[in-house]
């Protein structure tokens, strides 16, 4: 599949939705999911190490999946944390079989979806 990340380069990347790449996707998502648990249980130093490890895992994942060149890796490293996580999330969803339209629909959903009816009843 072709996927564009204008933050990194003008031409689209070719990424295969293979079982191997799907395993890598689930592995990095699992590491991120366990980060919150680690933050609750760890000391401040261990918490910071967990965050650093998570950022490294996500960055390494993106570099591996997109086969980034040195100049593209530099651009990736210049992104802020939110931009990196948004880019990685979009990559996860594409590898898991979602279309660009489905991803756009999810990203355009309001964050407080489902909260308004509950507030009206109070």
């Amino acid at each position: 599949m072709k996927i564009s990340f204008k933050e990194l380069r003008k031409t689209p990347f070719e990424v295969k939705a293979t079982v191997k790449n799907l395993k890598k996707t689930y592995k990095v998502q699992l590491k991120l999911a366990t980060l919150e648990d680690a933050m609750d249980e760890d000391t401040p130093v261990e918490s910071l190490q967990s965050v650093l490890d998570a950022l490294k895992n996500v960055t390494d994942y993106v570099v591996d999946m997109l086969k980034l060149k040195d100049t593209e890796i530099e651009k990736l490293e210049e992104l802020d944390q939110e931009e990196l996580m948004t880019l990685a999330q979009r990559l996860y969803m594409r590898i898991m079989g979602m279309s660009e339209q489905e991803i756009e629909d999810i990203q355009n959903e309001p964050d407080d979806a489902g909260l308004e009816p509950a507030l009206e009843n109070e």
Side-chain angles (χ1 to χ4, degrees), residues 1-5 9 11-15 66 87 90-95 100 103:
M1 84 184 94
K2 291 190 184 292
I3 184 167
S4 294
F5 293 106
R9 76 173 186 212
T11 59
F13 294 91
E14 182 68 35
V15 181
L66 300 179
L87 187 148
R90 188 164 150 242
L91 182 56
Y92 304 152
M93 289 189 274
R94 285 304 309 269
I95 289 175
E100 286 292 340
I103 293 168

Side-chain angles (χ1 to χ4, degrees), residues 63-75:
V63 169
D64 181 38
M65 290 290 110
L66 300 179
K67 309 288 188 248
L68 298 182
K69 297 178 176 109
D70 289 343
T71 55
E72 295 163 341
I73 293 170
E74 286 179 35
K75 289 178 183 178

Side-chain angles (χ1 to χ4, degrees), residues 26-58 81 84-85 92:
Y26 282 116
K27 184 177 180 180
V28 75
Q29 286 185 315
L30 179 60
K31 287 182 186 236
L32 288 174
T34 59
L35 174 63
E36 189 174 325
D37 292 340
M39 296 290 286
D40 291 340
E41 298 173 11
D42 293 342
T43 66
V45 170
E46 291 169 331
S47 294
L48 288 172
Q49 186 62 53
S50 296
V51 171
L52 180 61
D53 290 345
L55 284 172
K56 182 178 180 343
N57 287 329
V58 171
Q81 183 176 345
L84 171 65
M85 297 311 286
Y92 304 152

